[in-house]
Amino acid sequence: MIREVNNNMVENLFKDYFPNYHRSNIYEHIIIYEEKEIMGALSYSLIYDRIEINYLLTLLKFRKKGIALKLIDYLIKIAQEKKCQNISLEVDITNEAAINLYLKAGFQKKALRKNYYQNHDAYLMIKELVVRK
Ligand SMILES: CC(C)(COP(=O)(O)OP(=O)(O)OC[C@H]1O[C@@H](n2cnc3c(N)ncnc32)[C@H](O)[C@@H]1OP(=O)(O)O)[C@@H](O)C(=O)NCCC(=O)NCCS
């Protein structure tokens, strides 16, 4: 089951996996995939007419079961309801799993961000959306 939760609930989970985790801003929203326990979580910010993915995580034992794709699909529905133009994110250029995932979900590599992470480059990836009137 996928649902939106308040920020505090998964903060520790993100902190464990992303040592630099911080709430990006007051607009942060989090959606989770859970059955008996949380299996994955996605943090995003809605910024006017676009969405930025801040963090996405599937817990180790639940990986490769389509959970991240389901979270992204859910986010795409939110973005369409909010009439967003696009969804964007930065991803480490060595993170093959995440890059493949985003490509599969219809994102495209749009730019290279040099040293976006300390000493690591990142791709800016964007999924353009058709805004329905
Ligand atoms: C990246 C991550 C979120 C993927 O989560 P997941 O739930 O295992 O992904 P899914 O099962 O939905 O996979 C969907 C697609 O992503 C790609 N993918 C996922 N894991 C992959 C891997 N280890 N290697 C290569 N491609 C991979 C594949 O294209 C896959 O489709 P397929 O199963 O038909 O091959 C997960 O590996 C993770 O939490 N990594 C650590 C945190 C992280 O890097 N987050 C992203 C930061 S931007």
Side-chain angles (χ1 to χ4, degrees):
M1 188 186 86
I2 295 185
R3 64 187 175 103
E4 289 215 45
V5 295
N6 73 39
N7 288 355
N8 294 336
M9 195 172 149
V10 287
E11 193 163 12
N12 289 336
L13 189 144
F14 278 135
K15 275 186 185 153
D16 283 349
Y17 277 83
F18 303 105
N20 299 327
Y21 174 73
H22 62 94
R23 291 190 192 169
S24 61
N25 59 45
I26 56 168
Y27 299 111
E28 182 174 26
H29 304 268
I30 292 175
I31 52 184
I32 57 165
Y33 189 101
E34 68 177 348
E35 281 173 14
K36 289 187 180 125
E37 56 188 307
I38 294 175
M39 300 159 92
L42 182 157
S43 144
Y44 73 93
S45 297
L46 174 62
I47 304 164
Y48 300 104
D49 62 350
R50 61 189 196 85
I51 277 177
E52 260 182 36
I53 296 179
N54 305 318
Y55 299 94
L56 171 59
L57 172 71
T58 299
L59 298 191
L60 210 47
K61 61 181 169 171
F62 301 117
R63 286 189 189 165
K64 295 287 284 170
K65 296 180 193 307
I67 286 172
L69 260 187
K70 284 192 185 120
L71 286 166
I72 293 175
D73 282 349
Y74 189 87
L75 182 65
I76 291 168
K77 289 200 184 80
I78 293 173
Q80 283 166 337
E81 277 164 22
K82 306 268 184 206
K83 303 200 181 303
C84 290
Q85 304 275 349
N86 61 49
I87 304 175
S88 64
L89 60 100
E90 273 88 12
V91 57
D92 189 313
I93 60 165
T94 64
N95 192 343
E96 201 182 327
I99 292 167
N100 284 345
L101 164 76
Y102 293 125
L103 289 173
K104 190 162 187 181
F107 288 74
Q108 293 178 324
K109 292 178 192 165
K110 291 287 184 178
L112 183 67
R113 304 268 202 233
K114 292 297 262 181
N115 295 320
Y116 184 82
Y117 305 103
Q118 293 156 347
N119 300 326
H120 277 260
D121 299 344
Y123 290 122
L124 166 68
M125 296 188 74
I126 299 182
K127 181 177 175 74
E128 301 292 347
L129 299 170
V130 178
V131 182
R132 300 194 188 100
K133 301 273 172 190

